[in-house]
Amino acid sequence: MIPSAFDYARPSTVQEAVRILSEAGEDAKVLAGGQSLIPVLRLRLAAPSLLVDLGGIAELRGVSESGDELVIGAMTRHADILRDPLVARYAPLLAQATATVADRQVRHLGTIGGSLSHADPAGDLPSVSLALDAVMTIAGPAGERSVPASEFFVDYLTTAMQPGEVLVAVRVPKREGWGTHYEKFNRVAQAWALVGVAAAVRRENGSIAEARVALTNMGTTPLRATAVEQALAGALASADAIASAAASAAEGTSPSSDVSASAEYRTHLAKVLTRRAVAAAGGIDAA
Amino acid sequence: MTVTDERPAAEVGAARRRKEDARLITGRTMWTENVALPGMLHLAILRSPMAHARLVRVDTAPALREPGVVAAFSGRDLPAMGLPCAWPVTEDMVHPDHPALAVDEVRHVGEPVAVVVARDRASAVDALAAVDVEYEPLPVVTDMEQALADGAPLVHRDKGTNKSYTWVFDSAAAGTGGSTEEAFANAPVVLRRRYVQQRLIPSFMEPRSVVADPTGDQYTVWSATQIPHILRFLLSVVTGTPEHKVRVVAPDVGGGFGGKLQVTPEEVIAFAVAQKLGKPVKYTETRSDSLLSAHHGRDQIQDIELAADRDGKVLGLRVKLLANMGAYLGLVTPGVPLLGAFMYNAIYKFPAYRFECTGVFTNTTITDAYRGAGRPEATYAIERIMDELAAELGLDPVEVRRRNWIGHDEFPFTTVAGLTYDSGNYEAATEKALSLFGYDALREEQKRRRESRDRVQLGIGVSTYTEMCGLAPSRVLGSLRYGAGGWETASVRMLPTGKVEVVTGTSPHGQSHETAWSQIVADQLGVAFEDVEVLHGDTRTSHKGLDTYGSRSLAVGGIALVNACQKVIEKAKPVAAHLLECDVNDLEFRGGAFRVRGTPTEEPGKTLADCALAVFAAHDLPDGVEPSLDADATFDPENFSFPHGTHLCAVEVDTETGRVSIRSYVAVDDVGRVVNPLIVEGQVHGGVVQGIAQALFEEAVYDADGNLLTGTFVDYTLPSAADLPDVVSDRTETPAPGHPLGTKGVGEAGTIASTPAVVNAVVDALRPYGVNDIRMPCTPERVWRALQGGAS
């Protein structure tokens, strides 16, 4: 298919990108890896007048350390994340989830920033960013600001970013001593998750000291399974305790019914997958 | 010792790498989309967003004001050109007009409403938005049973019914068996099941594409089609253009699976626009267009009843089908279920059979042939209900089959459906499959898991199939009211340097004919594999043929090829005799050379190349000998061919999530003699995978308003390699008798066999939970629901 005609800009600095976007107003779209936007354009579900391609901004690509945080440039490709030693050491959950994103071709073009900015609740990385307490660094006409993942995802395909703003980096707290797991359930390997669960668990003396659980595709945004987290905090690190906590995984969620799955089935999956994800993260045999 | 004698004989059966691969894999070849002609214009087609509506107004004038636009047409602006249906299965079949471009009414989403012609493709697509169409919505029906109910909305209001036809086969009436009424009346066991063949979309890799070029009064049409010869004939008929003024070229074609066995609206529209404007035009569909409007497959509701005795001997079978035609009748739409009608009895012998099929119109995209066409549906239903019979009687599913199948010593065997199966050895294929699969050990493991109430249950599925392929004896097709014959043609041209050009009337689109035909010719003529060039797909070089579908190319076209080679040898004989200064009757042809009978093979003799050069020079030929070795042959088979096999599948079912994972898959196929085992294995793998996809993954879904909900590959779930098992594939070899090659056809076997094997395995895993069916595709949710005791 052929997209509608559009103008194209390829700035070489973030500043320049912000300036172009501010001038263009709401009719401009940011092009990152293009793995969601290009299909949308080709199907003519969107017809922006201007595409601002961030691919020429070298500073947006790469992973570095800054104190207690990893700083991941927004234009870092999924394939880069999978190979990155810092991610492997401090945020293996991100690497594990990224490995499940679509297929090899998509992973070599798609970017972490694009995936988070697109804010598709069926995407894998939004829930992972929630579970990891990531913080988004956003550049705009007024300079940079930070937004925690918990406030970043506002609605279906909608983030806290304003027109003229660009996501420049994702800051992920280094987590050592945590076990993590991403449990994704999809029809085929390349497909979106029907439901996914990102879990991070810190154990202390046979108990679960702390757990963070986030759900993919259980509502219009990625969601924290707060009830599960509360039930797990201080619980015995046992299969029974996890199963009992996971039973409330769907609390406060509003999954959709579509041609791939019903809301009822997604609700069921959320519980099963939460149990499996938490058990795997905590290194507990869930049977 | 010389090896020249041995080498050629080794070609058939050798695992030759494909001649086609280098150009296909590198993409350095001609696809229709690559055709670029001077002054060529581009078409974009506006498709109906409504499933059923009256066209109040189609105003293309605003589109003409868009940049780059040359012309725009609605259905009223082009000559009336109805798309053909070549298979009126009954005398009174309701056969509605099927305009290439809608005129007064649209009857499915995706139906072409207007065409815009522009200097480049982007301009044509942009200008579609300017076409002004007013639709007056009409009531929609997408469900077959609703369509047949009183007062249902009519797809074709002038026809007064949504029923296209009812076609019946009854063994008592046909004299091929007894009465099912009697068989069922006294049967100790009667099983009734309803199976649903979901609608599938043949997802060929290359989207359809067509270029039409008028030059003088000649029209050349390039098309990504399986059927260049049939297309030429029918374009001539549909457009009223004399046949000798139409040339059709199918260049390299990227897959079809039956999906390109069609005369499409787009081909006819392109032809008409080219004719009207006098300029070459091109149309290439997008994947979205393809999923929406290229013909779909399957979509049948099967009510099947089986009567048996307490020992598991089948006494009779009754099948009542509803087949969704879609909104119109495509090229062979009504005939697809009939190809299954003769296959419900499968490999079994029983005395009474009745089949009844009703074709139903709905406001959906047309259905038509899809890999196996009718036979996968039939095989699915019988193989599923044979498992039900085993479960009912507490027998092993393999044992139930054993008690009913035709013994290897009973061939040729005339079935209750009236076909004569020429050969087969079901015992041998099954034994081999069971042993490769480790059947007994898996049954043991299944027992253990059942006893321990393992969260992951193991299921084992068997499918013993046969199919009729090698379409087809022309007389049989005639008796089924099909509009064409089933013969096939080959020509062999001996070039003066001893190289060989072969022209085939079949039309490969992934089947490796260039490789396989070269192997056959190398053996027949004693020339090198590399010295054979196989030409196809262009009606100017291949003037005659019936193209490729129904696993016919080798089974029918291969014999034509052998016959043509034999004629070449016959024609070369007097030339060779002359060169060797001997009598024709003293000659023998062996290992590629003529020698006086009894001469040791060390003697070089005269090869076909020698003879080809001699007739080229023609300086010194005997009186009356034609200076040419070229020959062609047309072959009409007397019977179908009947490959068969046993497929076994082990699945693991996660009873918490309903996910089905295939653990192992064994396919033992008997496709007769094998020309190239690599090609056969490729066909089996591809076929098995497509069948697995029906069992577990794919389904085209319409909502009640007739919108296709699975219009992209995000929702139409095609599996990839990551989702599929390793297939263990092996063979038994029962050559087709009375056939110079002994081959049987393999293009559809995997698809036919695998779907029931997989679903039988899923149901087998869940039987302890009281489940005896899961609707296809067996999605995790459907399996989970079945486990909850709900409807699947």
Side-chain angles (χ1 to χ4, degrees):
Chain A
M1 268 210 181
I2 298 170
S4 305
F6 52 81
D7 287 331
Y8 174 82
R10 191 175 164 92
S12 50
T13 65
V14 172
Q15 242 179 338
E16 193 189 346
V18 166
R19 183 179 53 75
I20 295 169
L21 282 166
S22 305
E23 286 167 7
E26 296 207 9
D27 240 14
K29 280 260 179 208
V30 174
L31 176 66
Q35 298 308 291
S36 296
L37 182 58
I38 298 292
V40 163
L41 297 182
R42 285 161 61 94
L43 292 166
R44 297 200 170 203
L45 297 174
S49 58
L50 172 68
L51 282 196
V52 181
D53 181 356
L54 304 186
I57 308 176
E59 62 190 283
L60 290 183
R61 193 164 171 182
V63 181
S64 58
E65 279 178 283
S66 172
D68 295 341
E69 290 180 330
L70 290 187
V71 181
I72 304 172
M75 287 296 287
T76 307
R77 314 244 174 215
H78 300 315
D80 298 337
I81 301 269
L82 292 176
R83 281 193 298 263
D84 191 273
L86 292 172
V87 172
R89 178 160 177 201
Y90 296 115
L93 178 63
L94 178 61
Q96 193 204 354
T98 299
T100 72
V101 171
D103 53 39
R104 195 174 286 269
Q105 287 88 338
V106 168
R107 291 194 294 270
H108 274 84
L109 286 168
T111 64
I112 184 170
S115 173
L116 296 173
S117 303
H118 186 53
D120 189 331
D124 302 296
L125 304 186
S127 64
V128 168
S129 73
L130 268 187
L132 292 178
D133 281 327
V135 176
M136 316 299 169
T137 304
I138 297 166
E144 285 195 354
R145 65 186 179 111
S146 293
V147 177
S150 56
E151 294 166 24
F152 183 74
F153 303 103
V154 174
D155 203 345
Y156 182 68
L157 306 183
T158 309
T159 69
M161 287 192 292
Q162 299 301 313
E165 288 190 319
V166 174
L167 178 64
V168 295
V170 186
R171 304 205 307 274
V172 179
K174 289 180 183 171
R175 282 188 195 279
E176 283 183 291
W178 287 66
T180 59
H181 186 78
Y182 187 63
E183 186 77 21
K184 178 175 183 171
F185 194 91
N186 49 10
R187 290 276 318 278
V188 291
Q190 291 170 309
W192 301 99
L194 293 184
V195 177
V197 179
V201 171
R202 188 166 60 81
R203 283 178 63 168
E204 247 174 33
N205 310 325
S207 293
I208 293 172
E210 216 182 330
R212 316 188 60 77
V213 179
L215 307 173
T216 298
N217 214 10
M218 286 297 288
T220 55
T221 64
L223 296 168
R224 283 275 290 278
T226 321
V228 177
E229 293 177 355
Q230 284 166 359
L232 287 172
L236 212 62
S238 73
D240 284 349
I242 291 170
S244 143
S248 47
E251 255 179 46
T253 65
S254 52
S256 61
S257 282
D258 54 38
V259 72
S260 305
S262 69
E264 186 190 358
Y265 181 58
R266 286 195 163 99
T267 299
H268 167 75
L269 280 181
K271 298 173 193 169
V272 174
L273 302 180
T274 295
R275 197 192 78 225
R276 292 183 184 179
V278 171
I284 297 150
D285 186 2
Chain B
M1 264 301 278
T2 163
V3 293
T4 48
D5 269 327
E6 302 309 318
R7 202 188 92 84
E11 279 298 343
V12 165
R16 277 279 187 186
R17 287 192 181 271
R18 306 197 322 154
K19 285 188 167 182
E20 296 89 338
D21 279 342
R23 71 172 196 273
L24 294 178
I25 290 169
T26 59
R28 301 272 306 157
T29 189
M30 181 66 97
W31 310 103
T32 300
E33 167 61 15
N34 296 139
V35 174
L37 301 171
M40 188 171 75
L41 300 171
H42 298 261
L43 305 187
I45 292 176
L46 185 69
R47 297 180 182 279
S48 172
M50 314 280 291
H52 198 188
R54 198 170 71 80
L55 292 174
V56 179
R57 184 179 67 252
V58 182
D59 184 5
T60 56
L64 294 174
R65 294 192 285 273
E66 295 293 311
V69 173
V70 173
F73 305 105
S74 72
R76 292 186 182 282
D77 305 325
L78 294 177
M81 289 170 303
L83 295 164
C85 170
W87 204 339
V89 292
T90 61
E91 215 164 311
D92 60 352
M93 180 179 85
V94 173
H95 181 183
D97 290 341
H98 186 185
L101 199 53
V103 179
D104 298 313
E105 204 166 306
V106 287
R107 296 183 178 84
H108 67 88
V109 170
E111 186 168 351
V113 171
V115 54
V116 172
V117 191
R119 293 204 170 80
D120 61 277
R121 192 169 170 208
S123 299
V125 172
D126 280 345
L128 287 181
V131 177
D132 178 21
V133 186
E134 188 186 334
Y135 299 93
E136 179 190 309
L138 294 168
V140 171
V141 64
T142 59
D143 177 274
M144 282 193 278
E145 290 183 298
Q146 282 173 17
L148 291 177
D150 285 342
L154 292 174
V155 178
H156 298 275
R157 289 177 291 164
D158 57 325
K159 299 297 183 193
T161 176
N162 286 322
K163 188 177 103 172
S164 175
Y165 68 87
T166 295
W167 188 92
V168 178
F169 176 88
D170 189 301
S171 60
T176 56
S179 137
T180 48
E181 270 171 45
E182 281 172 30
F184 276 77
N186 305 314
V189 180
V190 173
L191 299 173
R192 294 191 174 82
R193 294 288 185 271
R194 166 167 283 204
Y195 297 126
V196 177
Q197 296 286 326
Q198 79 270 34
R199 183 178 279 242
L200 300 176
I201 305 181
S203 306
F204 31 74
M205 202 183 293
E206 179 207 14
R208 299 171 309 160
S209 181
V210 57
V211 173
D213 175 33
T215 298
D217 61 356
Q218 280 282 342
Y219 292 86
T220 304
V221 175
W222 286 263
S223 182
T225 181
Q226 293 176 229
I227 51 164
H229 298 93
I230 294 172
L231 180 60
R232 178 200 198 188
F233 170 76
L234 288 173
L235 275 178
S236 161
V237 171
V238 166
T239 67
T241 312
E243 191 180 353
H244 62 299
K245 299 297 182 189
V246 181
R247 170 190 177 198
V248 173
V249 186
D252 271 326
V253 175
F257 312 118
K260 291 172 182 168
L261 169 53
Q262 192 60 267
V263 176
T264 67
E266 294 81 4
E267 286 162 339
V268 172
I269 291 169
F271 193 97
V273 170
Q275 198 166 37
K276 192 146 178 138
L277 300 178
K279 293 203 166 178
V281 301
K282 181 197 279 186
Y283 171 80
T284 299
E285 70 183 0
T286 64
R287 183 60 70 180
S288 308
D289 290 332
S290 190
L291 293 174
L292 187 63
S293 60
H295 76 240
H296 296 169
R298 312 282 191 264
D299 204 347
Q300 299 178 354
I301 297 174
Q302 307 169 295
D303 286 311
I304 182 165
E305 294 176 283
L306 181 131
D309 68 18
R310 286 259 147 226
D311 293 329
K313 276 295 279 180
V314 179
L315 303 173
L317 188 73
R318 275 199 295 242
V319 177
K320 213 167 173 180
L321 272 194
L322 294 181
N324 197 339
M325 308 282 99
Y328 301 98
L329 301 178
L331 188 60
V332 299
T333 302
V336 168
L338 273 59
L339 290 172
F342 303 97
M343 287 282 106
Y344 276 89
N345 51 292
I347 65 168
Y348 310 116
K349 43 187 184 186
F350 53 82
Y353 171 51
R354 182 184 165 84
F355 171 91
E356 181 185 314
C357 172
T358 298
V360 186
F361 292 113
T362 60
N363 292 112
T364 58
T365 296
I366 64 164
T367 64
D368 209 315
Y370 175 50
R371 202 169 189 176
R375 290 153 289 162
E377 296 93 312
T379 304
Y380 179 81
I382 183 68
E383 289 302 290
R384 283 286 297 110
I385 206 165
M386 289 302 279
D387 261 35
E388 295 301 302
L389 178 62
E392 175 77 18
L393 299 176
L395 292 170
D396 184 281
V398 177
E399 177 56 27
V400 160
R401 286 164 172 82
R402 253 186 217 121
R403 291 183 188 184
N404 288 285
W405 69 34
I406 302 158
H408 69 275
D409 50 358
E410 295 180 81
F411 292 95
F413 184 90
T414 300
T415 73
V416 71
L419 294 179
T420 300
Y421 293 178
D422 56 9
S423 60
N425 190 334
Y426 309 140
E427 299 94 320
T430 302
E431 278 316 310
K432 195 166 196 172
L434 290 171
S435 135
L436 283 168
F437 187 66
Y439 187 81
D440 295 336
L442 281 164
R443 283 282 180 216
E444 279 301 311
E445 181 183 339
Q446 176 182 51
K447 195 162 161 249
R448 285 198 302 276
R449 289 207 194 185
R450 282 180 175 174
E451 282 164 3
S452 69
R453 295 172 176 273
D454 196 328
R455 179 171 62 74
V456 179
Q457 287 291 320
L458 183 66
I460 296 163
V462 57
S463 159
T464 46
Y465 76 98
T466 186
E467 61 151 327
M468 52 195 258
C469 65
L471 302 184
S474 298
R475 261 181 295 186
V476 175
L477 291 177
S479 74
L480 294 172
R481 305 177 54 89
Y482 179 61
W487 46 262
E488 195 45 76
T489 288
S491 309
V492 177
R493 306 172 184 160
M494 288 302 304
L495 303 183
T497 54
K499 311 296 182 195
V500 186
E501 277 179 348
V502 172
V503 182
T504 175
T506 61
S507 195
H509 41 282
Q511 291 85 351
S512 328
H513 292 180
E514 290 165 38
T515 305
W517 269 232
S518 297
Q519 289 180 270
I520 292 167
V521 171
D523 276 5
Q524 291 288 322
L525 301 184
V527 297
F529 173 77
E530 295 77 12
D531 288 347
V532 184
E533 191 71 19
V534 180
L535 307 174
H536 54 79
D538 181 344
T539 60
R540 188 171 277 178
T541 41
S542 165
H543 70 289
K544 190 168 143 186
L546 286 170
D547 307 318
T548 288
Y549 43 84
S551 306
R552 69 186 304 275
S553 296
L554 186 59
V556 185
I559 301 180
L561 179 63
V562 169
N563 292 350
C565 289
Q566 291 303 317
K567 286 187 185 178
V568 168
I569 294 165
E570 282 306 310
K571 285 180 82 171
K573 260 189 188 165
V575 180
H578 186 66
L579 295 175
L580 289 167
E581 298 177 347
C582 71
D583 190 277
V584 168
N585 296 318
D586 293 338
L587 276 183
E588 64 176 359
F589 183 73
R590 205 147 51 84
F594 292 97
R595 294 180 194 83
V596 175
R597 210 181 300 279
T599 310
T601 48
E602 286 81 358
E603 289 286 319
K606 290 294 175 188
T607 62
L608 273 181
D610 296 331
C611 300
L613 189 61
V615 297
F616 172 70
H619 294 163
D620 175 28
L621 294 178
D623 289 344
V625 167
E626 182 190 2
S628 166
L629 301 183
D630 299 352
D632 55 38
T634 299
F635 174 75
D636 198 340
E638 280 175 24
N639 194 0
F640 298 91
S641 76
F642 300 94
H644 70 84
T646 298
H647 287 211
L648 289 162
C649 176
V651 300
E652 294 189 328
V653 180
D654 181 335
T655 56
E656 273 187 340
T657 63
R659 180 185 301 283
V660 174
S661 314
I662 296 183
R663 183 163 118 179
S664 60
Y665 195 100
V666 168
V668 174
D669 296 285
D670 192 327
V671 298
R673 193 149 286 148
V674 166
V675 173
N676 183 326
L678 282 182
I679 297 172
V680 166
E681 215 160 288
Q683 286 278 17
V684 168
H685 283 203
V688 163
V689 160
Q690 253 169 335
I692 292 173
Q694 175 171 16
L696 298 181
F697 299 108
E698 295 182 30
E699 181 172 30
V701 182
Y702 282 94
D703 68 13
D705 296 326
N707 298 302
L708 181 66
L709 300 180
T710 51
T712 73
F713 282 148
V714 172
D715 297 309
Y716 188 78
T717 315
L718 279 185
S720 69
D723 307 298
L724 294 160
D726 287 336
V727 173
V728 175
S729 131
D730 206 334
R731 285 185 298 280
T732 55
E733 197 168 300
T734 312
H739 182 309
L741 289 168
T743 58
K744 292 184 175 178
V746 68
E748 296 155 301
T751 317
I752 291 168
S754 59
T755 309
V758 175
V759 178
N760 277 342
V762 176
V763 173
D764 182 58
L766 303 183
R767 273 201 204 278
Y769 299 81
V771 174
N772 70 10
D773 193 33
I774 310 258
R775 239 188 91 170
M776 293 190 291
C778 303
T779 63
E781 178 162 1
R782 283 198 178 131
V783 172
W784 173 71
R785 283 189 185 282
L787 283 163
Q788 309 309 302
S792 68

